[in-house]
Amino acid sequence: MPTDVVVSSTSPFEQADAPATLKAVNEVTDNEMIFDVGPQTSAQFAEILKTAGTIVWNGPVGVFEHDQFGAGTKAMAEAIAESSAFSIAGGGDTLAAVDKYAVTDKVSYISTGGGAFLEFLEGKKLPAVAILEERGQS
Ligand SMILES: Nc1ncnc2c1ncn2[C@@H]1O[C@H](COP(=O)(O)OP(=O)(O)OP(=O)(O)O)[C@@H](O)[C@H]1O
Ligand SMILES: O=C(O)[C@H](O)COP(=O)(O)O
């Protein structure tokens, strides 16, 4: 769980230059919204990623479209890029982050599906894959 976070009382979806403040997670007040993880948390997540054999990435850790809330997602992208693990990244916004932080070549597999690829990993049957398998057999 995050120990430090980047907050604002203004949403970057309403005001692009919403001011960002770094604080400990237990110091977040009622009027503040969390829009990114802090550097201590990113470092902790990056450490965990170093020990992974397989990494599945679905979802940025912050509102990375606005740079004041992008450091956490950038750190995840870089940790995944440096890792020797087999990495899969999927989902529209995740791929926008992969592109923004220029790590496309360092991710083992890029999936345009987001929710769909998670369902595939869960073992659910995807209709398009099922019909291809069926036709492939006949
Ligand atoms: N704390 C937050 N509050 C609101 N929006 C956030 C927050 N953190 C991240 N986001 C936004 O959520 C979006 C990412 O959505 P999501 O996690 O669904 O990823 P995805 O890659 O599009 O996956 P999928 O394809 O499964 O939907 C980004 O646009 C990001 O700005
Ligand atoms: O629009 C998206 O984010 C991607 O195309 C992922 O779609 P999915 O979540 O329906 O797989």
Side-chain angles (χ1 to χ4, degrees), residues 13 34-35 58-65 90-95 114-115:
F13 299 104
I34 298 173
F35 292 119
N58 177 244
V61 292
V63 186
F64 72 96
E65 296 89 341
D93 295 303
T94 307
L95 297 191

Side-chain angles (χ1 to χ4, degrees), residues 5-23 27-36 63 66 68-69:
V5 290
V6 183
V7 304
S8 186
S9 51
T10 309
S11 166
F13 299 104
E14 281 157 24
Q15 189 188 314
D17 66 349
T21 307
L22 174 66
K23 29 169 84 182
E27 283 166 6
V28 177
T29 60
D30 286 349
N31 66 329
E32 289 172 329
M33 294 164 276
I34 298 173
F35 292 119
D36 195 11
V63 186
H66 300 286
Q68 71 273 37
F69 304 110

Side-chain angles (χ1 to χ4, degrees), residues 2-138:
T3 49
D4 59 342
V5 290
V6 183
V7 304
S8 186
S9 51
T10 309
S11 166
F13 299 104
E14 281 157 24
Q15 189 188 314
D17 66 349
T21 307
L22 174 66
K23 29 169 84 182
V25 74
N26 57 2
E27 283 166 6
V28 177
T29 60
D30 286 349
N31 66 329
E32 289 172 329
M33 294 164 276
I34 298 173
F35 292 119
D36 195 11
V37 296
Q40 190 185 54
T41 301
S42 297
Q44 190 191 322
F45 288 174
E47 263 323 291
I48 296 169
L49 289 172
K50 274 188 194 162
T51 66
T54 307
I55 298 171
V56 174
W57 186 15
N58 177 244
V61 292
V63 186
F64 72 96
E65 296 89 341
H66 300 286
D67 286 336
Q68 71 273 37
F69 304 110
T73 300
K74 182 170 195 263
M76 292 308 98
E78 286 170 355
I80 292 167
E82 280 164 27
S83 162
S84 56
F86 184 82
S87 52
I88 306 169
D93 295 303
T94 307
L95 297 191
V98 163
D99 187 48
K100 177 166 182 174
Y101 302 118
V103 294
T104 307
D105 294 348
K106 303 212 168 85
V107 176
S108 315
Y109 189 81
I110 300 278
S111 163
T112 51
F117 108 85
L118 291 181
E119 288 191 17
F120 181 74
L121 291 182
E122 284 168 26
K124 288 192 184 153
K125 247 191 187 326
L126 300 185
V129 176
I131 194 77
L132 286 172
E133 280 173 353
E134 196 185 304
R135 294 290 162 86
Q137 276 160 17
S138 58

